[in-house]
Amino acid sequence: MIRFEGDNNNNNNNNNSTTLSVVSEDNQPSPTEKLTKNNASSNITQFKQSPQRRRQTISILEIICDTFSIRGVARMRRGPPFLRGLWFCFVLIMTIGLLLTTYLLVQDYLIYDVSENINVIYDTRSPFPALTICHHHPFSQNAYQLWRNGQVMSPSVFNRNMRNLTHQFLLENDISTAEALYQYDSMSIYYQNLRVIDAYNLGHDTTAFLNCMRRVNHTIEIEDNCLNMEGFQIRKFSHHTYFNCHTFEPKTKMEAEDTDIIALIVSLGKDLNYYNQEQAFLTDLFEMAKGLRVVVHEPGTYPDLEREGLHVEPGKLNEINYKPVLWKLLDTPQRPCRQEHIDRDPELARITDHTLAESLNSDYAYAYHDLNVSYRYTQPQCILFHQQEDIIKECGCQYIYHPRPQFPSPDLPYCGSIMENGINVMVLSERVQCLTSGPLKATVRQHYERTICLPRCQYYTYESTISVTTWRAVDWQLHWLRQLNRAFKSMQHEAKQHGEEWNITNSYGFQRWKEYYEQDNLTNKLIEDQVLMWKT
């Protein structure tokens, strides 16, 4: 290294002289040597400070052990080494357990899991539920006339078509297709191959309900025409197994709370005729029954006939008792639910873009519809409705077990329809494959259940039981009950029409009353009917 260095020596007379010196690099300490020396110095300093810090740490631990309220911590400082080690292990294990338990409690809180608190409240009025009634034999007397005239395809004709088609595939050695076809001889497939208007015409109407009785605060109201029963409405809907079903439901919450008992006398219709038009439905053998299928459910909701239906025996007095259960769910981030104010708002409640009917009950608005009947929101039906929309998009048909947003047509038939454009079995096979491979998967249902189809935060369920006994009523009692009811209805109508001063003895209703009043023998011919007594 060459260094220029100025020298200001006072003994030198020449102040401007410059000394040139050459210094070898070997005489300079290397950077490595400098670093080593510095580190050594630092280590010496640290070694000198370490005992002092150690004493400070021990002093802090002693203070902690002496002042801690937990007895095990204080024992870690005193006693033999073995006991101190034992207490140390004990305190360490307990501390880890405490931290783990705290972590699990926090995790459990973040899940917002709640337990069920059951409160039994006596002497409280709950809204009277809705009652849906379906006939096990779905065909009315009008159906036989339509079949005889050839206006509607009869079950016997349907069965013959299925037999011909099965025979054709057997001749072609296609055993698997032939076996599947003979299993399609069912009420549900027959329904799906009818026009909607024909299905309505084949089923029962409200004339099947001969008499209705409603008890309100110990006052009895009797009607021959159940459509005129005060406080209740009858809604008819079409079902693929029972054809026409009828739902009796209160119009308002006040009417529901005032009702104590409803009693119905229901006609079962004409006897079965297997000789001509009804030679079909072999696969329905295990489900054929006589009488009625009844469901007690929340007003405005679609009844679950398959899961919640009760069988009512014919010719018996059937009493249905129910226990209302009010469910209140906690709306949490992990398990949200649908608030009540959403169900009351017609715009917020709807889950479809189609036009819906206006609800008579101010407690709820309709959310969707099945054919021409609107219903309020429930989580199961919401899931089925959205699955139906997926089926329409992917498979081009409507699944009969789900809500039907549109009337079936040649462009959008039922998935079980095979006779809309001639008999086409291959189309039916493609639809079945489409249903099982896509929209009906459990993952699709779970997706809707977690996202857009939330459970309602508050709803009722009705635990129903039925008791059956022999009906002691006879035909003449029913005859005179109906005549008396019509007589007094007629007198009330004529009194309003002519004024209070009009002599009621001149009315037609009074003449009917007089017939009963002057009758010595009240017996009449036997009428086999069905009584359904429904009480709280």
Side-chain angles (χ1 to χ4, degrees):
M1 181 179 69
I2 300 175
R3 180 178 63 186
F4 291 92
E5 182 178 349
D7 187 4
N8 293 327
N9 192 351
N10 294 329
N11 297 325
N12 193 346
N13 295 326
N14 190 1
N15 293 332
N16 295 326
S17 63
T18 302
T19 304
L20 177 62
S21 62
V22 179
V23 181
S24 174
E25 292 182 355
D26 296 335
N27 295 331
Q28 291 289 332
S30 65
T32 305
E33 293 176 350
K34 292 181 179 180
L35 180 60
T36 303
K37 292 179 180 180
N38 291 335
N39 288 341
S41 176
S42 177
N43 289 338
I44 293 173
T45 304
Q46 291 179 0
F47 178 77
K48 291 180 180 180
Q49 294 177 354
S50 178
Q52 182 179 0
R53 292 185 179 180
R54 184 179 300 174
R55 285 193 297 271
Q56 292 177 354
T57 303
I58 294 175
S59 177
I60 293 174
L61 291 176
E62 290 177 351
I63 294 174
I64 293 175
C65 293
D66 292 338
T67 58
F68 236 76
S69 61
I70 302 176
R71 295 181 60 186
V73 177
R75 292 178 181 272
M76 290 190 301
R77 182 171 175 267
R78 296 185 297 271
F82 173 75
L83 292 179
R84 284 187 291 171
L86 188 63
W87 278 108
F88 174 78
C89 294
F90 175 77
V91 172
L92 181 63
I93 294 173
M94 291 298 103
T95 303
I96 294 175
L98 175 63
L99 295 176
L100 182 61
T101 304
T102 305
Y103 171 77
L104 294 177
L105 287 175
V106 172
Q107 288 294 106
D108 187 54
Y109 173 77
L110 294 177
I111 296 176
Y112 293 93
D113 194 13
V114 295
S115 59
E116 294 182 3
N117 296 321
I118 301 176
N119 297 321
V120 181
I121 305 176
Y122 297 97
D123 298 329
T124 56
R125 302 187 68 87
S126 61
F128 202 79
L131 176 69
T132 294
I133 301 174
C134 304
H135 287 71
H136 275 300
H137 182 243
F139 303 121
S140 64
Q141 188 172 357
N142 184 48
Y144 295 92
Q145 184 69 28
L146 295 174
W147 291 335
R148 283 194 296 267
N149 296 337
Q151 296 175 266
V152 180
M153 178 180 59
S154 68
S156 297
V157 173
F158 170 75
N159 175 268
R160 173 54 62 182
N161 292 334
M162 300 303 295
R163 279 192 279 176
N164 293 337
L165 192 59
T166 303
H167 183 69
Q168 176 183 345
F169 279 96
L170 287 176
L171 295 178
E172 297 175 359
N173 289 332
D174 192 348
I175 301 177
S176 59
T177 304
E179 183 180 6
L181 280 176
Y182 101 82
Q183 296 178 2
Y184 289 152
D185 182 18
S186 65
M187 186 80 71
S188 179
I189 298 296
Y190 172 69
Y191 174 91
Q192 296 179 66
N193 287 275
L194 296 173
R195 296 185 305 166
V196 175
I197 186 63
D198 292 337
Y200 276 116
N201 292 333
L202 293 179
H204 296 273
D205 55 18
T206 55
T207 58
F209 303 100
L210 304 179
N211 277 93
C212 302
M213 186 274 288
R214 177 189 178 214
R215 193 177 76 180
V216 180
N217 298 327
H218 306 288
T219 302
I220 296 179
E221 302 174 1
I222 301 176
E223 287 288 348
D224 288 342
N225 186 355
C226 294
L227 293 173
N228 298 329
M229 185 168 59
E230 294 184 3
F232 274 71
Q233 62 176 343
I234 302 178
R235 300 207 299 166
K236 180 173 68 174
F237 66 94
S238 184
H239 191 269
H240 62 95
T241 301
Y242 304 103
F243 281 62
N244 292 345
C245 295
H246 298 84
T247 299
F248 289 74
E249 64 181 22
K251 295 180 180 179
T252 63
K253 185 177 181 180
M254 182 180 298
E255 298 287 355
E257 292 178 347
D258 291 340
T259 303
D260 296 325
I261 295 177
I262 283 184
L264 307 174
I265 301 177
V266 186
S267 172
L268 297 182
K270 190 176 180 179
D271 293 336
L272 302 181
N273 182 5
Y274 292 121
Y275 296 101
N276 296 319
Q277 288 90 10
E278 290 191 71
Q279 299 179 14
F281 314 137
L282 301 181
T283 56
D284 293 337
L285 174 67
F286 301 98
E287 300 177 359
M288 287 186 174
K290 291 183 178 180
L292 305 174
R293 184 80 166 177
V294 178
V295 181
V296 181
H297 58 97
E298 199 172 10
T301 61
Y302 187 86
D304 193 342
L305 294 167
E306 286 74 18
R307 297 182 181 180
E308 301 177 359
L310 300 173
H311 293 289
V312 174
E313 292 188 38
K316 302 288 185 179
L317 176 64
N318 299 269
E319 181 176 287
I320 299 177
N321 297 277
Y322 69 89
K323 181 175 69 175
V325 179
L326 177 61
W327 296 85
K328 292 184 178 181
L329 305 183
L330 183 63
D331 189 10
T332 64
Q334 296 294 333
R335 296 182 180 180
C337 60
R338 185 180 172 100
Q339 297 291 342
E340 288 186 84
H341 70 88
I342 298 178
D343 285 338
R344 294 192 182 99
D345 192 313
E347 295 299 326
L348 298 178
R350 63 171 57 243
I351 59 175
T352 177
D353 296 332
H354 295 84
T355 303
L356 301 176
E358 184 178 356
S359 174
L360 298 177
N361 197 324
S362 60
D363 288 340
Y364 60 84
Y366 293 131
Y368 69 99
H369 66 277
D370 176 59
L371 293 183
N372 60 335
V373 184
S374 300
Y375 293 97
R376 70 182 299 185
Y377 176 92
T378 59
Q379 185 186 31
Q381 291 300 317
C382 174
I383 296 173
L384 298 181
F385 181 84
H386 287 289
Q387 281 185 316
Q388 182 75 284
E389 291 185 330
D390 295 339
I391 292 172
I392 293 175
K393 293 178 182 178
E394 299 180 19
C395 305
C397 61
Q398 295 190 89
Y399 193 46
I400 194 63
Y401 294 94
H402 290 12
R404 295 157 288 184
Q406 303 180 37
F407 281 90
S409 63
D411 296 330
L412 187 62
Y414 289 126
C415 295
S417 176
I418 58 176
M419 299 181 182
E420 67 271 8
N421 294 317
I423 300 177
N424 193 338
V425 181
M426 299 306 299
V427 173
L428 178 62
S429 177
E430 292 175 358
R431 292 172 184 166
V432 172
Q433 184 178 2
C434 176
L435 290 173
T436 55
S437 62
L440 294 183
K441 284 186 175 180
T443 54
V444 177
R445 179 183 181 88
Q446 294 171 359
H447 167 71
Y448 288 128
E449 185 178 358
R450 292 191 300 263
T451 54
I452 58 179
C453 292
L454 303 177
R456 290 158 55 197
C457 294
Q458 181 171 318
Y459 60 93
Y460 276 96
T461 58
Y462 299 90
E463 300 176 1
S464 306
T465 58
I466 188 169
S467 59
V468 182
T469 186
T470 303
W471 186 30
R472 293 192 302 107
V474 290
D475 59 327
W476 57 267
Q477 291 176 316
L478 177 60
H479 169 77
W480 290 114
L481 174 64
R482 292 169 63 87
Q483 177 153 330
L484 285 176
N485 186 57
R486 292 170 182 171
F488 280 94
K489 292 288 183 182
S490 177
M491 284 188 282
Q492 290 176 356
H493 175 72
E494 294 184 63
K496 292 180 180 179
Q497 186 177 6
H498 296 89
E500 296 181 357
E501 298 181 357
W502 184 68
N503 190 354
I504 200 66
T505 58
N506 297 328
S507 66
Y508 174 72
F510 183 81
Q511 300 302 319
R512 304 192 72 170
W513 155 257
K514 190 175 181 180
E515 180 184 356
Y516 167 75
Y517 176 72
E518 296 177 350
Q519 188 74 28
D520 293 331
N521 185 6
L522 297 179
T523 59
N524 202 340
K525 67 176 182 177
L526 179 64
I527 302 176
E528 293 185 357
D529 292 311
Q530 171 70 40
V531 167
L532 174 62
M533 176 69 73
W534 189 34
K535 63 186 290 187
T536 56

